Amino acid sequence: MNSTSITVSCCVGATTLNHRIPKWKAKPPRAALVEKSKPVPSLRGGGGGGGGENAASVVLRVRDDDSTSRALARDRADDSTSRALARDRADDMQAEARAMARAVDASVYSPENLTRIYGSRPIKLVGRTVEIFAGVGAFALNLWLDRVNGGLDRNQRMRAIELRKTFTRLGPTFVKIGQGLSTRPDLCPPIYLEELSQLQDALPTFPDSEAFSCIEKELGRPLDSIYSSISASPIAAASLGQVYKAQLRFSGQIVAVKVQRPGIEEAIGLDFYLLRGLGFLVNKYVDIISSDVVALIDEFARRVYQELNYVQEGQNARRFKKLYADKEDVLVPDIFWDYTSRKVLTMDWVEGVKLNEQDAIERQGLKVLDLVNTGIQCSLRQLLEYGYFHADPHPGNLLATPDGKLAFLDFGMMSETPEQARSAIIGHVVHMVNRDYEAMARDYYVLDFLSPDVDVSPIVPALRNFFDDALNSTVSELNFKTIVDGLGAVLYQYPFNVPAYYALILRSLTVLEGLALYADPNFKVLAASYPYFAKRLLTDPNPYLRDALIELLFKDGRFRWNRLENLLVQGKKDRDFSAKDALQPVLKLLLGADGEDLRVLVIKETVRATEAVVLGSVLESYNYMPDLVRSLIYNANATSSFAMNIAEQESMLELRAQVFRIWALLQSSNNFDPSILQPIIQVLLEPGARRLGGRLVGGITQRLAARLLQQVLRAPPTIPASTS
């Protein structure tokens, strides 16, 4: 690579160090955190490579026709590779342990510590309070004057720039607020969204000399011994740090190096102390807000303080990668522990375009909605499958790579959904579809919105009033914002306590919906989410979800075939759906000790479906016969066939068609193979299942025999005298 040399002065303590660091010839755009990654050797050169060489030499020595020798050689090669991988894992764990040791003194959020530090500094508190009110108050005053003078639309761009600059001037805490607003088209006009989106990666930088000094101090070695080259200025600046592009001297790997802003802990600590004081006032005097505002502020502060520990962020990234990067359309950069500490984070360099830059994405031949849908599916897995989710997915943290993958960045703010709540959220959607508002109200106990001693009966009418209106459209047509706003109105009226994890879930999903609305104003998150919900309901053996599936499919003792068909249609849209997964949990539930009530319903409905298939097929064949053939059949001149009126015939033929469509959907699902019925046959051989089968066969036989007897005993048609 062509490069020029520059002299970078880095100060560690009172000592000034001069290093000659190669500089990138072409300065990358400041607004993008991306540059093309090149294939480079492994970080640990002797690890994986040694295993491969050993494998090759073994194979060369045994190239003959002796299959036993070849198998032995393959085993040796596999052992060699396994040992190399084990060495890599061991080295990586040791490097992570050393990084954790470098971060042992990382700050942890503590309200008591904030009180101790700032409680005795009234001058500083008053000064910061005045600064905040002056900045926000000046903007509010100008906005009010624009409204009075009729200049709201004319001055919108100027006010948006003013708000962005105010947030930037007030520091990291308010930058975080601005980042949240930049993804809410329901709250901010497009011009404001455009300006506030600059807070994601175009913030003011701090001096490079301070950044390089921080790297040396944190990693304990000179800069030129770590990197063979590093960008002379930041590629991007975020609320808590700034990012450089570098090449590791040891391996040649191109990496992103994030360095924390100096004095950041002091700045956010003071702001959170003031916000907690405001939260106490809101809890005491503002009755309309029933949630514990102080608890919400504390939860948010804990998340921000975790972002200040870059080793913790690296561990978050590793965990996220392990859980979700198994999908081919999701990319998570890896962490280099040897070059990571409390204030320095080194990870893979990722090339890509921010997800809200629609034109740039489309120029690469990609579609924004495809990437957003990938983000939604990944988010649903995060929220409802493993419960570990990215709580700060603003556009600066989501990149579209040239090969169409969605890259996740910045793992400082993570959260977890409690296991019980994951199933309850899916059940809540089922209850909403069924308009079962009593069950919806009871869900709030499981979701930890209400204490067990709260009576939910007054909440039911409020839910009914909102959702009866909202559900006039199909659920998939509902806007996520509509649901959030409607539930929000209910939450404000009753003694709900919204858990912190739920607030972060709402933020995560509204961000994704906001990104989608850039590309398609009619995009609906619930429509994109429904295939995942359908797959989970059909395949998950969780008892709570099994009960939710029964509630969805059975009503008033009748099976709703249309619901099953719709679930299969939607579930098939999820790439992970498999008919094999859908059949076995249902059988286990049906044959369980507590499944007698369900067995009665299933037997009844199976008899009805079998009758529809058998008699429907006969009836359809009869209807397609020529008139001459039909005239030879007994009772051919009757006004109805098989002792059924026209409505019954149509109903039976429709049920038969539904059964065939459902079977076709199962056949067309991923990995369908008739052999998936083998476990079912094995289950049916069990004593309990044989009894169920006997009852089922008996029911079908009785039903068909009754139909036949009814047909035989019918009175022959009366022939009019005139015809005689």
Side-chain angles (χ1 to χ4, degrees):
M1 178 183 298
N2 294 329
S3 63
T4 57
S5 296
I6 62 168
T7 300
V8 180
S9 297
C10 304
C11 299
V12 182
T15 306
T16 300
L17 304 175
N18 293 324
H19 300 289
R20 297 187 64 81
I21 307 296
K23 176 184 177 182
W24 300 103
K25 184 173 182 179
K27 182 178 178 181
R30 295 180 61 81
L33 185 66
V34 290
E35 191 168 297
K36 180 67 177 175
S37 299
K38 300 178 181 179
V40 293
S42 169
L43 179 60
R44 297 171 186 83
E53 292 171 4
N54 292 341
S57 62
V58 171
V59 172
L60 287 173
R61 287 197 297 270
V62 297
R63 288 185 63 88
D64 53 40
D65 294 331
D66 187 346
S67 59
T68 303
S69 299
R70 286 198 298 271
L72 182 59
R74 283 194 299 270
D75 289 342
R76 289 173 179 169
D78 290 341
D79 288 344
S80 178
T81 302
S82 298
R83 286 195 298 271
L85 291 174
R87 285 196 301 271
D88 276 353
R89 285 194 295 269
D91 291 345
D92 189 69
M93 291 175 64
Q94 292 174 4
E96 182 179 358
R98 290 192 295 269
M100 292 175 64
R102 288 192 288 269
V104 70
D105 59 343
S107 298
V108 178
Y109 175 70
S110 168
E112 294 76 15
N113 284 345
L114 294 184
T115 301
R116 178 177 53 80
I117 295 171
Y118 300 108
S120 59
R121 302 167 70 178
I123 297 177
K124 194 172 188 65
L125 292 176
V126 171
R128 180 58 174 167
T129 303
V130 170
E131 182 183 7
I132 293 172
F133 275 103
V136 177
F139 170 77
L141 177 62
N142 289 333
L143 203 62
W144 178 78
L145 290 175
D146 287 343
R147 180 185 295 274
V148 171
N149 298 326
L152 272 179
D153 293 335
R154 184 176 64 254
N155 296 332
Q156 196 173 69
R157 172 71 66 181
M158 183 169 59
R159 293 292 165 253
I161 295 173
E162 180 184 351
L163 182 61
R164 171 176 57 81
K165 290 182 176 179
T166 298
F167 282 160
T168 302
R169 188 167 58 252
L170 290 176
T173 307
F174 288 86
V175 167
K176 286 287 184 185
I177 295 173
Q179 288 175 349
L181 290 175
S182 72
T183 58
R184 293 297 303 269
D186 53 313
L187 297 180
C188 298
I191 293 177
Y192 280 81
L193 296 177
E194 181 183 339
E195 286 297 328
L196 292 178
S197 66
Q198 296 184 36
L199 294 174
Q200 290 152 10
D201 59 6
L203 294 169
T205 63
F206 58 90
D208 299 311
S209 59
E210 293 185 27
F212 296 148
S213 175
C214 178
I215 294 173
E216 292 187 319
K217 182 177 180 181
E218 289 289 310
L219 300 183
R221 64 184 87 173
L223 204 64
D224 55 5
S225 71
I226 306 172
Y227 311 114
S228 57
S229 58
I230 188 169
S231 54
S233 59
I235 304 302
S239 55
L240 304 183
Q242 58 194 35
V243 179
Y244 295 84
K245 181 178 181 180
Q247 185 173 29
L248 294 176
R249 180 172 294 281
F250 175 68
S251 65
Q253 175 74 49
I254 305 298
V255 293
V257 183
K258 183 160 75 168
V259 187
Q260 193 172 113
R261 288 182 179 273
I264 189 73
E265 292 182 26
E266 170 79 10
I268 65 171
L270 179 58
D271 284 345
F272 280 125
Y273 180 78
L274 292 172
L275 287 174
R276 286 192 94 247
L278 180 61
F280 279 116
L281 295 176
V282 171
N283 284 348
K284 186 174 182 179
Y285 297 109
V286 182
D287 295 333
I288 193 173
I289 299 179
S290 58
S291 299
D292 187 344
V293 176
V294 174
L296 292 174
I297 292 172
D298 285 343
E299 179 66 20
F300 178 65
R302 270 189 288 271
R303 303 296 176 189
V304 174
Y305 267 78
Q306 286 178 5
E307 288 190 72
L308 296 180
N309 184 354
Y310 285 175
V311 172
Q312 179 64 54
E313 180 176 344
Q315 292 172 325
N316 294 343
R318 276 290 178 87
R319 182 180 176 188
F320 191 91
K321 184 182 181 75
K322 181 180 179 181
L323 292 176
Y324 308 116
D326 57 329
K327 302 301 179 186
E328 61 183 12
D329 48 9
V330 174
L331 175 66
V332 180
D334 205 4
I335 305 299
F336 296 88
W337 293 116
D338 283 329
Y339 312 106
T340 295
S341 70
R342 180 169 64 100
K343 295 183 179 182
V344 176
L345 177 64
T346 304
M347 63 172 62
D348 284 328
W349 184 267
V350 179
E351 180 187 5
V353 179
K354 288 193 300 182
L355 215 55
N356 61 348
E357 296 180 357
Q358 184 176 351
D359 293 340
I361 290 174
E362 291 179 350
R363 281 197 297 270
Q364 296 185 10
L366 305 175
K367 294 182 179 179
V368 174
L369 289 182
D370 289 344
L371 293 158
V372 169
N373 192 58
T374 297
I376 290 172
Q377 300 308 314
C378 185
S379 293
L380 290 170
R381 292 183 70 205
Q382 295 173 48
L383 301 173
L384 303 176
E385 198 163 327
Y386 297 105
Y388 185 69
F389 65 93
H390 195 302
D392 191 23
H394 63 72
N397 292 338
L398 298 170
L399 300 181
T401 67
D403 55 355
K405 293 184 178 182
L406 180 65
F408 285 81
L409 303 176
D410 195 352
F411 302 92
M413 185 176 289
M414 310 295 289
S415 188
E416 297 196 47
T417 310
E419 185 174 1
Q420 192 176 21
R422 297 174 216 164
S423 302
I425 291 171
I426 298 177
H428 199 63
V429 173
V430 171
H431 297 148
M432 181 177 68
V433 172
N434 285 343
R435 303 194 184 207
D436 188 349
Y437 303 121
E438 289 81 5
M440 283 184 70
R442 290 193 298 271
D443 287 336
Y444 295 127
Y445 292 133
V446 185
L447 291 169
D448 203 24
F449 279 35
L450 295 172
S451 59
D453 58 336
V454 175
D455 180 18
V456 296
S457 54
I459 300 171
V460 175
L463 292 172
R464 181 178 291 111
N465 290 339
F466 168 69
F467 281 105
D468 275 347
D469 251 355
L471 292 176
N472 285 334
S473 304
T474 63
V475 172
S476 62
E477 292 175 346
L478 282 175
N479 191 296
F480 185 70
K481 176 183 177 296
T482 304
I483 299 294
V484 172
D485 290 348
L487 285 176
V490 176
L491 296 180
Y492 284 131
Q493 296 176 33
Y494 298 96
F496 284 92
N497 183 29
V498 179
Y501 77 84
Y502 185 75
L504 291 171
I505 287 176
L506 293 183
R507 182 173 185 270
S508 178
L509 291 179
T510 50
V511 163
L512 288 168
E513 186 170 61
L515 289 170
L517 292 176
Y518 279 109
D520 181 5
N522 297 316
F523 185 86
K524 303 293 185 292
V525 163
L526 287 178
S529 305
Y530 205 68
Y532 177 85
F533 283 103
K535 181 202 72 173
R536 286 291 301 275
L537 283 170
L538 288 169
T539 62
D540 199 313
N542 181 290
Y544 192 98
L545 297 184
R546 294 269 59 81
D547 292 343
L549 179 61
I550 293 172
E551 291 178 29
L552 191 65
L553 296 181
F554 287 92
K555 184 177 183 181
D556 300 328
R558 294 296 295 268
F559 186 82
R560 296 188 278 190
W561 291 92
N562 61 320
R563 286 283 175 85
L564 177 58
E565 183 179 0
N566 186 43
L567 282 175
L568 287 169
V569 168
Q570 295 295 330
K572 263 194 64 186
K573 296 177 183 178
D574 189 289
R575 68 181 64 179
D576 296 327
F577 175 75
S578 168
K580 180 178 181 180
D581 295 333
L583 292 174
Q584 295 187 46
V586 173
L587 271 180
K588 291 179 182 178
L589 177 67
L590 183 61
L591 300 175
D594 301 326
E596 178 59 29
D597 293 340
L598 179 62
R599 284 193 287 272
V600 172
L601 294 175
V602 168
I603 290 172
K604 175 183 174 182
E605 202 60 37
T606 304
V607 168
R608 193 168 78 92
T610 304
E611 178 192 36
V613 171
V614 175
L615 293 186
S617 299
V618 174
L619 181 61
E620 188 176 57
S621 301
Y622 173 81
N623 290 336
Y624 278 104
M625 289 179 181
D627 292 341
L628 179 62
V629 176
R630 283 197 291 175
S631 66
L632 299 176
I633 298 177
Y634 171 72
N635 208 19
N637 295 326
T639 56
S640 61
S641 301
F642 301 102
M644 291 182 289
N645 59 37
I646 299 299
E648 288 177 318
Q649 291 180 41
E650 291 177 350
S651 175
M652 181 169 290
L653 289 173
E654 172 58 26
L655 176 57
R656 172 178 172 270
Q658 278 188 320
V659 171
F660 285 166
R661 286 198 301 268
I662 288 170
W663 177 245
L665 287 168
L666 290 172
Q667 283 183 305
S668 61
S669 68
N670 291 342
N671 305 319
F672 179 83
D673 188 327
S675 65
I676 67 171
L677 298 177
Q678 184 177 356
I680 298 175
I681 295 173
Q682 292 174 352
V683 172
L684 291 176
L685 292 176
E686 298 176 2
R690 288 202 297 269
R691 288 193 294 272
L692 176 62
R695 292 165 62 184
L696 190 58
V697 172
I700 294 171
T701 304
Q702 291 176 20
R703 185 69 172 252
L704 294 177
R707 284 285 187 189
L708 179 62
L709 185 62
Q710 189 177 8
Q711 179 72 18
V712 170
L713 295 179
R714 289 186 66 193
T718 301
I719 303 175
S722 59
T723 305
S724 176

